[in-house]
Amino acid sequence: MKTSEILTFLKAEAFLLSAIPMVAIAASFFFEIGYLGFYGVPPNVIEVDLYTVIISCMCLVFLLYVVVEIFYTVINFARKSNKHLTAFCISLIPSLMVLLFAGLYRVSQLLWLALAFFVIFYLYVLDLIKQKGSVEVEAKKDESLILVDKFKGFLFVAILMAGLSLGVGYNVALEKVSYFVVGDDKVLVEIYGDNVVLAYFKASDSGGILTGEIEVVKLSEYTLKGEQQNLGKVRSVKDEERRANVEKVSKL
């Protein structure tokens, strides 16, 4: 992206940029919801500290830069191409976003939604090109967005980041293999201020199995004794029951 394009974007999207701290707080909160949700911990124990918000802001700025860089690259390439290739390039953007959610939430059905988005946006962009004559006319029109449109953009970004953060948090817990084991049947999930969140598990050959039972204790009243262990990927009781049912069905 050229320097002039960066300055133009900063001027046009000053409202969105000023809202980054607010979005960072929301993203941090939803990340923790996704992370704790894997262990069955209610979200009322979550505390978002300043350090987490700062890290979230840095990640958001980096992500925003990458997204804008990709967007401008696609648009610039589309402007130099014919209308069908232009529609193809622009339609990739929403489809890739849906694919990202499909990967995070492991929902294969979203692949069909991504395909539907691609087809719908492809036909929509083709129609716009026929009406306006070029993408540049529509782009110039978008530069005169009013405050309401900016607020809509803010809501879209906030909802998008909340959804992504929720999925990332859940996947972090899902892929976690190393735990601080307290006693023989509890693992440390997280510490929020003075609250220590512990989850009960049962050891197995293929990794720990969460029982669904949790315990929240005060750090000032509780002595953490244990050791860091590689348990492998832990699974919930519901996952085990689901897998057992699938095996039974496959044997029939």
Side-chain angles (χ1 to χ4, degrees):
M1 188 189 301
K2 299 178 181 178
T3 305
S4 59
E5 291 177 332
I6 295 176
L7 293 175
T8 301
F9 174 79
L10 291 176
K11 287 181 179 180
E13 305 300 337
F15 178 80
L16 285 178
L17 294 173
S18 64
I20 282 181
M22 190 184 305
V23 177
I25 294 174
S28 301
F29 183 75
F30 276 93
F31 174 87
E32 297 295 338
I33 289 179
Y35 178 77
L36 295 182
F38 176 78
Y39 302 96
V41 181
N44 59 327
V45 301
I46 296 175
E47 292 183 13
V48 179
D49 54 24
L50 181 61
Y51 173 77
T52 305
V53 174
I54 292 174
I55 296 298
S56 297
C57 283
M58 295 172 62
C59 293
L60 279 173
V61 171
F62 176 75
L63 180 63
L64 188 62
Y65 173 78
V66 172
V67 170
V68 171
E69 186 73 31
I70 294 174
F71 179 78
Y72 271 86
T73 301
V74 171
I75 292 299
N76 289 333
F77 176 75
R79 286 173 176 172
K80 301 174 184 178
S81 310
N82 59 54
K83 62 180 182 179
H84 292 285
L85 191 55
T86 297
F88 176 83
C89 293
I90 296 177
S91 301
L92 283 177
I93 298 174
S95 302
L96 291 175
M97 290 172 59
V98 176
L99 287 176
L100 180 59
F101 274 91
L104 282 176
Y105 289 94
R106 291 172 168 78
V107 181
S108 57
Q109 290 84 353
L110 287 179
L111 297 176
W112 294 105
L113 183 62
L115 179 61
F117 266 50
F118 176 80
V119 174
I120 292 171
F121 273 85
Y122 179 81
L123 297 175
Y124 176 71
V125 173
L126 273 182
D127 184 61
L128 281 180
I129 293 174
K130 290 178 181 178
Q131 291 181 17
K132 304 297 181 180
S134 70
V135 178
E136 294 182 4
V137 175
E138 191 68 19
K140 290 179 180 178
K141 178 184 176 182
D142 290 341
E143 292 176 358
S144 61
L145 290 172
I146 58 177
L147 184 60
V148 175
D149 295 319
K150 297 290 185 182
F151 184 69
K152 289 179 181 178
F154 164 73
L155 283 180
F156 173 76
V157 173
I159 294 172
L160 177 65
M161 291 309 304
L164 289 176
S165 300
L166 188 70
V168 170
Y170 186 86
N171 277 271
V172 167
L174 185 66
E175 299 297 329
K176 189 175 181 179
V177 296
S178 181
Y179 287 88
F180 185 80
V181 180
V182 181
D184 297 325
D185 60 349
K186 288 181 286 189
V187 294
L188 175 65
V189 176
E190 190 57 85
I191 298 177
Y192 296 104
D194 194 39
N195 292 325
V196 179
V197 183
L198 303 169
Y200 285 81
F201 79 103
K202 295 184 296 185
S204 68
D205 296 335
S206 58
I209 301 175
L210 297 171
T211 64
E213 184 180 358
I214 63 166
E215 183 179 356
V216 181
V217 297
K218 294 293 182 182
L219 184 60
S220 57
E221 303 172 359
Y222 188 87
T223 302
L224 277 176
K225 292 183 179 180
E227 61 179 357
Q228 195 76 16
Q229 296 183 21
N230 192 329
L231 299 178
K233 293 182 181 180
V234 299
R235 302 180 305 280
S236 66
V237 175
K238 292 182 180 179
D239 290 336
E240 282 297 297
E241 292 176 351
R242 193 181 300 114
R243 189 172 71 168
N245 291 333
V246 171
E247 289 179 355
K248 288 181 181 179
V249 172
S250 61
K251 290 179 180 178
L252 294 177

